[in-house]
Amino acid sequence: MMAKKIIKASRVERASRVAKVEVEAEETVKKQRAPKDLTTLRGFRDVLPEEEPYWNRVRDNARQLAEYYSFGRLDLPLLEYADLFQRTLGKATDVIEKEMYVFTDPSGYDVALRPEATAQTVRAYINHGMLNRPQPVKLYYEGQMFRHDRPQAGRYRQFNQFGFESIGEADPIVDAQLIVIGERFFRDLGLNVVVEINSIGTSETRKAYVMELVSYFRGFRKNLSEDDKRRLQKNPLRLLDSKEPYMAELLKDAPQIVDWLDEASKNHFMKVLEFLEEIEVPYRLNPHLVRGLDYYNRTVFEMYLAGETSSEASQGALLSGGRYDGLVEMLGGREGTPACGFACGMERVVSALKEAGVDPNPRFQPRVFFAQLGDAARRKGLRLFEEFRAEHIQVAEAFGKGSLKAQLEVANKMNAAYTIILGQKEVLDGTIIIRDMDSGAQEIVDAGKVVSIMQKRLVL
Ligand code: HAM
């Protein structure tokens, strides 16, 4: 009886507290005035011309990878029906609870500035009947996202992501290849990253695990912060990436989700890890990695600068993603359509590039030098040059210089790995000389094969 009364009283109290918070929130909204000085909104920023070279490098690199791995570019609107995100990201997630920019548009619809682009990509996949294309459909996007989060290092309210999504294939090699693409993206930019990875199984296995987790944390309820108490009640999985200082100690003995995985998820996870080992992508198992959005299942991963871990990273994950096999179906697409993807925070990459002192304008650094002797060789050289260009091999020359000695000096200065030499005799014979600049060794090869020979040597 007493307990009932207390519960009832606390409900009433809670209801009035909620009402008060709402009133306060309304008042706060009414009270805000644009500041007199011309500043941007908090968490929004301008990118000035001097920062653009970094942005161009990041964008160019992402675009090149998309092209290389056959991900088609998808441009998506910034504004969507709010319902798209409310249905998919999870009611008890930070994004839905407090971070979305939602408003009623002049036509009376509830719309949202997109907080992320995976739900949108799936919407587009369904809208445009991409199910009828060869699967998986591989898509790539880049652009602004909006979250009314607390601004801090690497966290903005308007930020840019580029993302790779592969829809329609369940094989673990897809997860592994996406991770490889992400890791390559950073390596190409001169940044070393570590992949943190975990598997969160299926929604069924997760239910059983969450019950275990709740019963473990209930034992420590009185030690938890108000935020963590709320998580315990509404979204217990999020306790695993709570940043409260006491949490590291509590997590040591907490149940781990990998121990609750079903056989199929376990096998899937093992295969992903095997692929990563095969391609020598460095990874670290993180049993507490669960991700902040609800649509994930099985593989989840995040990338951090080497030397940092998720709990101490200066600006959070540079890139994150995972498998989301239920999302297409949840949005009304074909039952059981699997999918996997990632998105990368571009502001965070730009800032990591600056911090690491990476040159945003790397100078043209060809590894092959072309030396010629005489007019006929020069003429033939011009054509050969185009053949190299068509194969994306950068070749330098000094057509203005006559002697071989002077040309070899230029090749040495620019650190070319090989010089290919074409003289009168070689033009007549249809041959060409390849000189290894380190050893000085020379060999004569068929001029028609020199491009493919150099192609092979340059990847070694
Ligand atoms: P997310 O972890 O919310 O996942 O965001 C992906 C990346 O965006 C983060 O790793 C981070 O680098 C960057 N990011 C997130 N919030 C901010 C912020 N406030 N300011 C600056 N950068 C931020 C997603 O959005 C999923 N859609 C990823 C995905 C794609 N999963 C599957 N496919």
Side-chain angles (χ1 to χ4, degrees):
M1 193 63 188
M2 192 62 187
K4 262 192 192 161
K5 258 190 197 161
I6 293 171
I7 292 169
K8 214 167 154 198
S10 75
R11 267 198 213 126
V12 173
E13 196 187 295
R14 207 175 327 127
S16 70
R17 214 170 40 228
V18 170
K20 202 165 151 230
V21 169
E22 273 168 11
V23 171
E24 268 171 14
E26 243 170 54
E27 278 170 5
T28 324
V29 170
K30 274 187 208 141
K31 261 190 263 158
Q32 303 298 332
R33 294 266 181 278
K36 293 241 163 26
D37 52 344
L38 289 173
T39 52
T40 56
L41 288 164
R42 204 165 157 240
F44 288 68
R45 61 194 288 267
D46 303 317
V47 176
L48 301 184
E50 47 275 26
E51 203 177 78
E52 279 310 330
Y54 291 96
W55 283 90
N56 286 339
R57 267 209 81 184
V58 172
R59 288 187 196 111
D60 289 350
N61 197 22
R63 285 176 195 166
Q64 277 163 18
L65 284 173
E67 208 170 295
Y68 187 82
Y69 288 96
S70 309
F71 282 71
R73 165 97 181 200
L74 178 66
D75 278 315
L76 296 157
L78 297 188
L79 215 53
E80 294 269 357
Y81 291 112
D83 179 59
L84 172 69
F85 304 110
Q86 284 156 350
R87 277 167 65 190
T88 54
L89 307 190
K91 274 198 202 81
T93 58
D94 287 349
V95 176
I96 295 301
E97 271 194 339
K98 52 187 189 202
E99 294 172 2
M100 254 209 317
Y101 283 87
V102 185
F103 56 94
T104 310
D105 80 354
S107 319
Y109 290 110
D110 281 345
V111 295
L113 280 170
R114 61 176 181 183
E116 61 103 56
T118 306
Q120 283 192 299
T121 304
V122 170
R123 181 209 35 75
Y125 172 90
I126 298 170
N127 279 169
H128 301 284
M130 293 194 208
L131 173 67
N132 301 317
R133 300 185 185 183
Q135 306 290 302
V137 174
K138 303 203 286 183
L139 300 163
Y140 151 76
Y141 54 77
E142 68 178 54
Q144 291 92 351
M145 311 291 152
F146 302 84
R147 296 183 194 175
H148 196 269
D149 205 347
R150 198 161 3 107
Q152 53 180 259
R155 203 193 284 165
Y156 301 96
R157 290 182 172 170
Q158 176 183 309
F159 59 99
N160 287 267
Q161 284 183 345
F162 75 80
F164 282 58
E165 314 281 0
S166 172
I167 307 179
E169 177 57 64
D171 198 289
I173 198 162
V174 171
D175 317 28
Q177 195 183 39
L178 282 159
I179 294 171
V180 170
I181 296 173
E183 203 261 343
R184 264 200 68 174
F185 166 79
F186 292 109
R187 198 147 32 98
D188 289 351
L189 289 177
L191 295 173
N192 285 327
V193 292
V194 171
V195 181
E196 292 207 352
I197 189 165
N198 194 18
S199 173
I200 55 168
T202 63
S203 52
E204 278 73 43
T205 48
R206 223 151 42 235
K207 265 184 216 145
Y209 169 71
V210 165
M211 276 167 66
E212 187 69 19
L213 194 68
V214 168
S215 89
Y216 171 80
F217 274 107
R218 274 215 185 108
F220 301 99
R221 198 172 183 284
K222 61 177 186 320
N223 308 342
L224 301 183
S225 67
E226 285 310 307
D227 259 0
D228 280 348
K229 278 187 191 144
R230 231 168 34 86
R231 288 190 180 114
L232 180 60
Q233 199 188 355
K234 296 179 91 176
N235 194 355
L237 270 186
R238 301 296 298 156
L239 282 168
L240 297 181
D241 57 14
S242 152
K243 299 283 179 281
E244 300 290 355
Y246 57 73
M247 201 41 106
E249 205 46 45
L250 287 189
L251 283 178
K252 276 188 194 149
D253 295 324
Q256 300 197 348
I257 199 161
V258 280
D259 296 329
W260 295 78
L261 295 185
D262 54 291
E263 266 321 291
S265 294
K266 220 182 275 172
N267 284 338
H268 186 97
F269 193 38
M270 291 315 293
K271 288 204 179 111
V272 175
L273 298 181
E274 274 165 27
F275 283 126
L276 294 183
E277 277 157 29
E278 178 89 26
I279 336 176
E280 295 179 17
V281 167
Y283 70 81
R284 191 162 51 211
L285 293 175
N286 177 354
H288 302 134
L289 179 62
V290 285
R291 308 279 304 119
L293 305 166
D294 275 7
Y295 50 60
Y296 292 106
N297 68 310
R298 294 198 170 161
T299 321
V300 288
F301 55 91
E302 295 186 340
M303 293 190 195
Y304 294 87
L305 285 177
E308 289 190 340
T309 61
S310 47
S311 51
E312 68 196 22
S314 52
Q315 48 167 8
L318 297 178
L319 176 153
S320 30
R323 193 158 265 290
Y324 47 97
D325 294 334
L327 191 53
V328 175
E329 185 178 332
M330 190 196 289
L331 284 174
R334 192 173 62 179
E335 204 182 327
T337 306
C340 192
F342 70 74
C344 172
M346 295 162 79
E347 278 77 5
R348 295 183 186 183
V349 182
V350 166
S351 139
L353 286 173
K354 286 184 181 169
E355 193 110 312
V358 172
D359 181 357
N361 292 311
R363 274 170 295 283
F364 171 69
Q365 197 68 38
R367 296 181 59 206
V368 181
F369 186 85
F370 174 71
Q372 39 64 40
L373 292 164
D375 268 353
R378 209 174 287 145
R379 264 199 309 280
K380 199 155 178 211
L382 269 184
R383 222 193 41 232
L384 199 58
F385 228 75
E386 289 313 300
E387 287 171 24
F388 273 109
R389 200 181 62 86
E391 294 304 322
H392 306 288
I393 301 177
Q394 295 182 329
V395 181
E397 41 70 30
F399 284 149
K401 298 212 186 296
S403 82
L404 182 60
K405 187 162 170 268
Q407 293 183 67
L408 288 178
E409 264 167 26
V410 179
N412 260 329
K413 256 196 208 132
M414 51 164 271
N415 262 334
Y418 298 95
T419 297
I420 49 176
I421 306 168
L422 193 60
Q424 313 270 22
K425 180 173 175 302
E426 288 76 27
V427 172
L428 290 176
D429 292 354
T431 57
I432 201 159
I433 299 167
I434 299 177
R435 180 186 173 95
D436 183 318
M437 296 299 284
D438 270 346
S439 65
Q442 298 198 161
E443 70 180 296
I444 300 171
V445 302
D446 181 347
K449 292 191 182 141
V450 68
V451 177
S452 63
I453 294 173
M454 290 313 300
Q455 229 170 357
K456 284 191 199 112
R457 299 231 170 136
L458 288 171
V459 288
L460 288 179

